[in-house]
Amino acid sequence: MENKEPILVVKDLKQHFKINRNFTVKAVDGISFDIMPGETYGLVGESGSGKSTTGRSIIRLYKPTSGSIVFNGKEIGGKLNKETSKELHTKMQMIFQDPMACLNPRKKVIDIIGQGLDIHKSYSSIEERNEKIYEMLELVGLSREHASRYPHQFSGGQRQRIGIARALIMNPDLIIADEAISALDVSIQAQVVNLMKKIQKETGIAYLFIAHDLSMVKHISTHIGVMYLGQMVEKGPADNVYMKPKHPYTKALLSAVPIPDPKVAKANKRIVLEGDIPSPIDPPPGCRFKGRCKEAMKICSEVNPELKEVETGHFVACHLYK
Ligand code: SF4
């Protein structure tokens, strides 16, 4: 088997925001995971779990409070030199939930997609620049005629394709897709996920796919990490987490995923999660899920469970697993 190095190694990442002298929001509180080249890591959890903050810390929209982020073998969690900063701006890209909010309405698609090329002067002639943009439009299933149009002339799914083209034109090694398909209709979601898979096959790109809805994550991820209140509660190969979920929170999230086969769906008991995710401001001791867990025991109020390996590469943080 080929011995590959991870493209991204996140170790004990913390992202805390101090609100005032007494309160700190512990949005991300010590999470670790790796992404291999050409793989997709699905990071899931409800709103407030810290998954989007994790993506934003990795791409340095926030300065991490502590921990290490190694991208392409280089530490990027602290201060960066010019060369590493430039590499990061090209080799790691992000796609956001609402493409309309991040596509300049006054710019034509050709200039939106070409923005990265223009900033980094990555062409020797205007013809070369435009040709790269046309190729990218075709790669994402649009045509060169679309290049002279404005964002408002496209549907939501097409706008997300423009967002993907804009990210891809810099030939990145990693794309962070933050709820990139959540605002789209289900049929369009499937199209965008299939497009991302096709591009991954052709280019070997890795994705960090952040989503609250597990149904699409299932179709794209090689590995899954489940976050709850700033911490990783379960992680492992996607098949193991889907077929044999261990943590009561993962089980509840998965029980809500629609199953196309009515017989299997009937046998699958829905676990209703009661209450909302608690506040990440100074969480109390013990397991952070205890207030919503039907299996909580005495120890759960006293000790925050550590991630333990329950089968090869499959980790769970829960006192039910010794
Ligand atoms: Fe539930 Fe306890 Fe496991 Fe937390 S540690 S998920 S409260 S059983």
Side-chain angles (χ1 to χ4, degrees):
M1 208 179 120
E2 209 182 333
N3 187 17
K4 288 193 281 187
E5 293 291 323
I7 186 113
L8 183 81
V9 181
V10 175
K11 215 165 175 192
D12 204 18
L13 176 69
K14 291 187 182 171
Q15 189 68 62
H16 295 178
F17 301 99
K18 213 168 173 51
I19 306 177
N20 57 35
R21 218 169 342 136
N22 299 321
F23 295 112
T24 302
V25 173
K26 295 183 177 174
V28 179
D29 205 17
I31 66 161
S32 304
F33 62 98
D34 301 349
I35 306 181
M36 297 302 286
E39 289 194 352
T40 301
Y41 198 97
L43 198 57
V44 299
E46 289 164 287
S47 160
S49 61
K51 57 193 190 309
S52 288
T53 308
T54 301
R56 282 154 199 252
S57 306
I58 292 170
I59 205 163
R60 292 178 63 93
L61 289 177
Y62 303 132
K63 186 175 172 291
T65 308
S66 65
S68 154
I69 304 167
V70 175
F71 176 61
N72 266 339
K74 286 185 189 145
E75 174 63 55
I76 58 161
K79 210 168 179 291
L80 302 185
N81 61 33
K82 223 172 153 190
E83 186 202 340
T84 312
S85 178
K86 188 176 173 200
E87 188 187 329
L88 190 64
H89 280 120
T90 54
K91 293 294 173 193
M92 193 193 288
Q93 297 285 321
M94 195 154 185
I95 321 173
F96 296 91
Q97 176 173 4
D98 180 4
M100 199 55 194
C102 44
L103 302 180
N104 188 333
R106 278 179 228 99
K107 277 195 171 178
K108 287 183 180 169
V109 163
I110 192 164
D111 296 321
I112 291 173
I113 297 177
Q115 194 181 2
L117 296 177
D118 296 338
I119 291 171
H120 297 283
K121 310 245 178 312
S122 323
Y123 47 83
S124 48
S125 68
I126 201 74
E127 289 74 25
E128 185 193 333
R129 168 198 187 258
N130 292 351
E131 209 42 55
K132 276 189 185 176
I133 296 168
Y134 297 145
E135 273 174 27
M136 213 38 74
L137 276 169
E138 274 161 26
L139 184 67
V140 300
L142 296 170
S143 69
R144 57 171 65 203
E145 285 71 47
H146 287 120
S148 54
R149 297 191 194 161
Y150 291 90
H152 73 269
Q153 296 175 287
F154 293 88
S155 67
Q158 285 176 321
R159 282 200 284 266
Q160 199 51 287
R161 285 169 190 264
I162 297 169
I164 295 172
R166 184 176 59 170
L168 280 174
I169 200 144
M170 298 315 293
N171 197 18
D173 294 326
L174 174 69
I175 286 187
I176 299 176
D178 184 10
E179 298 279 11
I181 57 166
S182 311
L184 305 173
D185 290 345
V186 175
S187 60
I188 312 291
Q189 285 188 356
Q191 284 178 19
V192 175
V193 163
N194 288 338
L195 170 68
M196 289 176 74
K197 279 168 83 169
K198 178 178 155 260
I199 291 168
Q200 185 171 54
K201 229 173 156 189
E202 287 169 15
T203 62
I205 198 170
Y207 297 124
L208 174 60
F209 194 87
I210 299 169
H212 67 275
D213 175 359
L214 273 84
S215 37
M216 277 300 158
V217 177
K218 188 177 172 190
H219 295 297
I220 193 166
S221 305
T222 33
H223 285 79
I224 305 264
V226 182
M227 284 187 76
Y228 189 79
L229 209 58
Q231 296 186 324
M232 198 74 95
V233 294
E234 183 157 3
K235 63 178 181 180
D239 286 348
N240 294 26
V241 175
Y242 272 99
M243 303 308 288
K244 294 177 274 178
K246 305 284 183 206
H247 197 282
Y249 180 58
T250 315
K251 287 181 186 174
L253 288 182
L254 279 171
S255 77
V257 172
I259 299 170
D261 183 336
K263 271 193 207 147
V264 182
K266 215 175 165 193
N268 187 46
K269 217 172 130 230
R270 173 91 195 261
I271 305 166
V272 180
L273 265 178
E274 279 162 18
D276 292 323
I277 197 163
S279 162
I281 300 175
D282 295 323
C287 172
R288 295 185 180 183
F289 187 59
K290 62 179 180 287
R292 301 168 84 190
C293 181
K294 292 200 167 63
E295 306 193 55
M297 308 164 276
K298 190 171 172 280
I299 188 174
C300 305
S301 304
E302 295 155 2
V303 182
N304 193 7
E306 282 178 19
L307 272 173
K308 285 185 206 114
E309 194 168 19
V310 284
E311 57 185 323
T312 310
H314 187 172
F315 294 79
V316 183
C318 173
H319 291 303
L320 291 171
Y321 305 92
K322 294 290 172 202

PDB file of all heavy atoms in Angstrom, residues 247-248 287 289-290 293 295-297 300 305 317-320, ligand 1:
ATOM      1  N   HIS A 247     -21.467   6.263  19.656  1.00  0.00           N
ATOM      2  CA  HIS A 247     -21.859   7.327  20.587  1.00  0.00           C
ATOM      3  C   HIS A 247     -23.376   7.579  20.500  1.00  0.00           C
ATOM      4  O   HIS A 247     -23.933   7.637  19.394  1.00  0.00           O
ATOM      5  CB  HIS A 247     -21.100   8.610  20.239  1.00  0.00           C
ATOM      6  CG  HIS A 247     -21.103   9.610  21.338  1.00  0.00           C
ATOM      7  ND1 HIS A 247     -22.188  10.420  21.608  1.00  0.00           N
ATOM      8  CD2 HIS A 247     -20.161   9.924  22.265  1.00  0.00           C
ATOM      9  CE1 HIS A 247     -21.903  11.187  22.640  1.00  0.00           C
ATOM     10  NE2 HIS A 247     -20.676  10.912  23.060  1.00  0.00           N
ATOM     11  N   PRO A 248     -24.043   7.735  21.653  1.00  0.00           N
ATOM     12  CA  PRO A 248     -25.498   7.979  21.611  1.00  0.00           C
ATOM     13  C   PRO A 248     -25.874   9.183  20.742  1.00  0.00           C
ATOM     14  O   PRO A 248     -26.938   9.184  20.106  1.00  0.00           O
ATOM     15  CB  PRO A 248     -25.851   8.241  23.086  1.00  0.00           C
ATOM     16  CG  PRO A 248     -24.805   7.496  23.855  1.00  0.00           C
ATOM     17  CD  PRO A 248     -23.554   7.589  23.041  1.00  0.00           C
ATOM     18  N   CYS A 287     -19.503  14.714  30.896  1.00  0.00           N
ATOM     19  CA  CYS A 287     -19.794  14.588  29.470  1.00  0.00           C
ATOM     20  C   CYS A 287     -20.709  15.734  29.036  1.00  0.00           C
ATOM     21  O   CYS A 287     -21.725  16.002  29.684  1.00  0.00           O
ATOM     22  CB  CYS A 287     -20.470  13.240  29.203  1.00  0.00           C
ATOM     23  SG  CYS A 287     -21.067  13.102  27.510  1.00  0.00           S
ATOM     24  N   PHE A 289     -22.699  15.878  26.659  1.00  0.00           N
ATOM     25  CA  PHE A 289     -23.969  15.414  26.082  1.00  0.00           C
ATOM     26  C   PHE A 289     -24.925  14.906  27.168  1.00  0.00           C
ATOM     27  O   PHE A 289     -26.062  14.539  26.882  1.00  0.00           O
ATOM     28  CB  PHE A 289     -23.658  14.306  25.064  1.00  0.00           C
ATOM     29  CG  PHE A 289     -24.844  13.844  24.265  1.00  0.00           C
ATOM     30  CD1 PHE A 289     -25.568  14.717  23.476  1.00  0.00           C
ATOM     31  CD2 PHE A 289     -25.238  12.510  24.281  1.00  0.00           C
ATOM     32  CE1 PHE A 289     -26.662  14.297  22.732  1.00  0.00           C
ATOM     33  CE2 PHE A 289     -26.327  12.062  23.549  1.00  0.00           C
ATOM     34  CZ  PHE A 289     -27.038  12.971  22.770  1.00  0.00           C
ATOM     35  N   LYS A 290     -24.469  14.890  28.426  1.00  0.00           N
ATOM     36  CA  LYS A 290     -25.239  14.185  29.475  1.00  0.00           C
ATOM     37  C   LYS A 290     -26.686  14.673  29.628  1.00  0.00           C
ATOM     38  O   LYS A 290     -27.578  13.880  29.888  1.00  0.00           O
ATOM     39  CB  LYS A 290     -24.508  14.230  30.821  1.00  0.00           C
ATOM     40  CG  LYS A 290     -24.308  15.633  31.365  1.00  0.00           C
ATOM     41  CD  LYS A 290     -23.590  15.585  32.702  1.00  0.00           C
ATOM     42  CE  LYS A 290     -23.381  16.960  33.270  1.00  0.00           C
ATOM     43  NZ  LYS A 290     -22.360  17.749  32.586  1.00  0.00           N
ATOM     44  N   CYS A 293     -28.728  12.785  27.032  1.00  0.00           N
ATOM     45  CA  CYS A 293     -28.420  11.372  26.798  1.00  0.00           C
ATOM     46  C   CYS A 293     -29.307  10.460  27.648  1.00  0.00           C
ATOM     47  O   CYS A 293     -29.357  10.611  28.879  1.00  0.00           O
ATOM     48  CB  CYS A 293     -26.951  11.113  27.128  1.00  0.00           C
ATOM     49  SG  CYS A 293     -26.466   9.401  26.828  1.00  0.00           S
ATOM     50  N   GLU A 295     -28.776   7.412  28.157  1.00  0.00           N
ATOM     51  CA  GLU A 295     -27.972   6.361  28.790  1.00  0.00           C
ATOM     52  C   GLU A 295     -27.022   6.918  29.847  1.00  0.00           C
ATOM     53  O   GLU A 295     -26.114   6.215  30.301  1.00  0.00           O
ATOM     54  CB  GLU A 295     -27.186   5.615  27.713  1.00  0.00           C
ATOM     55  CG  GLU A 295     -28.109   5.114  26.622  1.00  0.00           C
ATOM     56  CD  GLU A 295     -27.451   4.115  25.721  1.00  0.00           C
ATOM     57  OE1 GLU A 295     -26.948   3.114  26.241  1.00  0.00           O
ATOM     58  OE2 GLU A 295     -27.440   4.344  24.508  1.00  0.00           O
ATOM     59  N   ALA A 296     -27.211   8.174  30.243  1.00  0.00           N
ATOM     60  CA  ALA A 296     -26.282   8.822  31.178  1.00  0.00           C
ATOM     61  C   ALA A 296     -26.221   8.078  32.508  1.00  0.00           C
ATOM     62  O   ALA A 296     -27.222   7.569  33.009  1.00  0.00           O
ATOM     63  CB  ALA A 296     -26.700  10.264  31.394  1.00  0.00           C
ATOM     64  N   MET A 297     -24.996   7.999  33.060  1.00  0.00           N
ATOM     65  CA  MET A 297     -24.768   7.322  34.344  1.00  0.00           C
ATOM     66  C   MET A 297     -24.147   8.346  35.296  1.00  0.00           C
ATOM     67  O   MET A 297     -23.862   9.476  34.898  1.00  0.00           O
ATOM     68  CB  MET A 297     -23.792   6.157  34.152  1.00  0.00           C
ATOM     69  CG  MET A 297     -24.178   5.207  33.044  1.00  0.00           C
ATOM     70  SD  MET A 297     -22.790   4.153  32.553  1.00  0.00           S
ATOM     71  CE  MET A 297     -21.937   5.200  31.412  1.00  0.00           C
ATOM     72  N   CYS A 300     -20.943  10.084  34.277  1.00  0.00           N
ATOM     73  CA  CYS A 300     -21.066  11.025  33.155  1.00  0.00           C
ATOM     74  C   CYS A 300     -21.129  12.478  33.627  1.00  0.00           C
ATOM     75  O   CYS A 300     -20.772  13.394  32.894  1.00  0.00           O
ATOM     76  CB  CYS A 300     -22.302  10.704  32.314  1.00  0.00           C
ATOM     77  SG  CYS A 300     -22.321   9.008  31.725  1.00  0.00           S
ATOM     78  N   PRO A 305     -15.561  12.129  29.188  1.00  0.00           N
ATOM     79  CA  PRO A 305     -14.898  10.945  28.607  1.00  0.00           C
ATOM     80  C   PRO A 305     -13.885  11.316  27.531  1.00  0.00           C
ATOM     81  O   PRO A 305     -14.110  12.248  26.764  1.00  0.00           O
ATOM     82  CB  PRO A 305     -16.063  10.147  27.995  1.00  0.00           C
ATOM     83  CG  PRO A 305     -17.136  11.145  27.777  1.00  0.00           C
ATOM     84  CD  PRO A 305     -16.980  12.198  28.824  1.00  0.00           C
ATOM     85  N   ALA A 317     -15.836   8.912  22.368  1.00  0.00           N
ATOM     86  CA  ALA A 317     -15.690   9.498  23.700  1.00  0.00           C
ATOM     87  C   ALA A 317     -16.988   9.280  24.466  1.00  0.00           C
ATOM     88  O   ALA A 317     -17.929  10.073  24.340  1.00  0.00           O
ATOM     89  CB  ALA A 317     -15.385  10.981  23.586  1.00  0.00           C
ATOM     90  N   CYS A 318     -17.081   8.163  25.189  1.00  0.00           N
ATOM     91  CA  CYS A 318     -18.313   7.846  25.927  1.00  0.00           C
ATOM     92  C   CYS A 318     -17.978   6.802  26.988  1.00  0.00           C
ATOM     93  O   CYS A 318     -17.271   5.830  26.700  1.00  0.00           O
ATOM     94  CB  CYS A 318     -19.373   7.308  24.960  1.00  0.00           C
ATOM     95  SG  CYS A 318     -20.846   6.708  25.785  1.00  0.00           S
ATOM     96  N   HIS A 319     -18.539   6.980  28.188  1.00  0.00           N
ATOM     97  CA  HIS A 319     -18.249   6.041  29.279  1.00  0.00           C
ATOM     98  C   HIS A 319     -18.876   4.668  29.085  1.00  0.00           C
ATOM     99  O   HIS A 319     -18.586   3.743  29.828  1.00  0.00           O
ATOM    100  CB  HIS A 319     -18.714   6.646  30.621  1.00  0.00           C
ATOM    101  CG  HIS A 319     -17.892   7.814  31.052  1.00  0.00           C
ATOM    102  ND1 HIS A 319     -16.531   7.745  31.231  1.00  0.00           N
ATOM    103  CD2 HIS A 319     -18.246   9.104  31.311  1.00  0.00           C
ATOM    104  CE1 HIS A 319     -16.067   8.922  31.592  1.00  0.00           C
ATOM    105  NE2 HIS A 319     -17.080   9.765  31.646  1.00  0.00           N
ATOM    106  N   LEU A 320     -19.743   4.542  28.084  1.00  0.00           N
ATOM    107  CA  LEU A 320     -20.318   3.205  27.824  1.00  0.00           C
ATOM    108  C   LEU A 320     -19.255   2.254  27.269  1.00  0.00           C
ATOM    109  O   LEU A 320     -19.424   1.043  27.292  1.00  0.00           O
ATOM    110  CB  LEU A 320     -21.460   3.316  26.796  1.00  0.00           C
ATOM    111  CG  LEU A 320     -22.729   4.020  27.235  1.00  0.00           C
ATOM    112  CD1 LEU A 320     -23.657   4.243  26.063  1.00  0.00           C
ATOM    113  CD2 LEU A 320     -23.438   3.218  28.339  1.00  0.00           C
TER     114      LEU A 320
HETATM  115 FE1  SF4 B   1     -24.206   9.462  27.481  1.00  0.00          FE
HETATM  116 FE2  SF4 B   1     -22.505   9.150  29.490  1.00  0.00          FE
HETATM  117 FE3  SF4 B   1     -21.802   8.401  27.046  1.00  0.00          FE
HETATM  118 FE4  SF4 B   1     -22.038  10.972  27.673  1.00  0.00          FE
HETATM  119  S1  SF4 B   1     -20.558   9.533  28.493  1.00  0.00           S
HETATM  120  S2  SF4 B   1     -22.788   9.994  25.853  1.00  0.00           S
HETATM  121  S3  SF4 B   1     -23.766  10.954  29.058  1.00  0.00           S
HETATM  122  S4  SF4 B   1     -23.421   7.526  28.306  1.00  0.00           S
END
